[in-house]
Amino acid sequence: MRLILLGPPGAGKGTQAQRLVDKHGIVQLSTGDMLRAAAAAGTPVGRKAKAIMDRGELVPDDVMIEIISERLDRPDTSNGFILDGFPRTVAQAEALDKLLEYRGTTIDAILEITVDEKVLRDRIEGRAKETGGTRGDDKSTATRLEVYRRQTAPVADYYRKKGMLKQVDGMGSVEDVAALIDAHLRALAEA
Ligand code: AMP
């Protein structure tokens, strides 16, 4: 199974992705995690990315497309994957279409987790407190939400126009949201 999880920062993408990984035996391709690992390792890309992430802005498309292209070529993706945090711009979505077409593969489901903005702010600020600020970018909540509205929300429209998008209400508990996602995936499998 190949999935894309969309949704603003704090919507619970990471939590749901991890659960789907365990349930379906697929790999989670979190571009945020990849960038944080590169930053921790102190690679040139990682160092540049860290400054951008700390400001709450987006790493350039060409860098992200290269990272995801290399990641898709690793053999552990052959059983399926869940993209978490990519694509984040329409240019990335278009590039992903080409990458998948070149590999002769398609996406099974694109799920957008929707949450009210006030709730998102509280969640992101709560996470910043819990982690003692280890995720430097949690400090830049306002920028991250603004970047989401401006650059990433159009990605949902891109897939909606193609008739591929399923919105999932992310306001409930982790279990509620999981149940909605599972119901949709079951319906797709039975269709
Ligand atoms: P995340 O963990 O998905 O919230 O990502 C953390 C940060 O990494 C984001 O705020 C961006 O600065 C950067 N990032 C992650 N994925 C992407 C992407 N697909 N395109 C551009 N920047 C990204």
Side-chain angles (χ1 to χ4, degrees), residues 34-102:
M34 292 174 207
L35 292 172
R36 280 184 287 277
T43 67
V45 167
R47 277 203 301 273
K48 271 189 215 139
K50 176 150 187 355
I52 297 172
M53 290 164 82
D54 284 350
R55 290 199 300 272
E57 294 167 5
L58 294 186
V59 173
D61 286 335
D62 55 339
V63 175
M64 298 314 303
I65 292 162
E66 181 69 29
I67 288 176
I68 214 71
S69 173
E70 279 174 16
R71 188 64 188 86
L72 286 173
D73 282 338
R74 302 239 302 257
D76 63 349
T77 59
S78 62
N79 192 41
F81 54 79
I82 180 157
L83 283 168
D84 160 19
F86 186 96
R88 241 174 167 103
T89 63
V90 171
Q92 291 180 16
E94 288 169 349
L96 179 64
D97 281 348
K98 294 207 183 81
L99 289 177
L100 294 172
E101 195 185 321
Y102 179 73

Side-chain angles (χ1 to χ4, degrees), residues 93-167:
E94 288 169 349
L96 179 64
D97 281 348
K98 294 207 183 81
L99 289 177
L100 294 172
E101 195 185 321
Y102 179 73
R103 288 166 177 78
T105 185
T106 51
I107 294 290
D108 299 304
I110 300 164
L111 302 159
E112 181 189 23
I113 305 180
T114 59
V115 180
D116 283 357
E117 195 147 309
K118 162 84 178 74
V119 173
L120 288 178
R121 251 174 240 285
D122 292 349
R123 283 190 192 173
I124 300 175
E125 278 156 16
R127 183 166 66 193
K129 283 195 198 100
E130 263 172 39
T131 59
T134 48
R135 275 188 55 144
D137 59 352
D138 278 341
K139 284 181 229 136
S140 46
T141 306
T143 311
R144 297 180 75 214
L145 291 176
E146 172 58 23
V147 164
Y148 181 81
R149 266 196 303 271
R150 211 164 11 96
Q151 292 178 270
T152 308
V155 174
D157 291 334
Y158 175 84
Y159 289 124
R160 187 177 295 113
K161 281 187 199 131
K162 288 176 173 260
M164 295 171 77
L165 189 77
K166 172 71 185 172
Q167 281 193 325

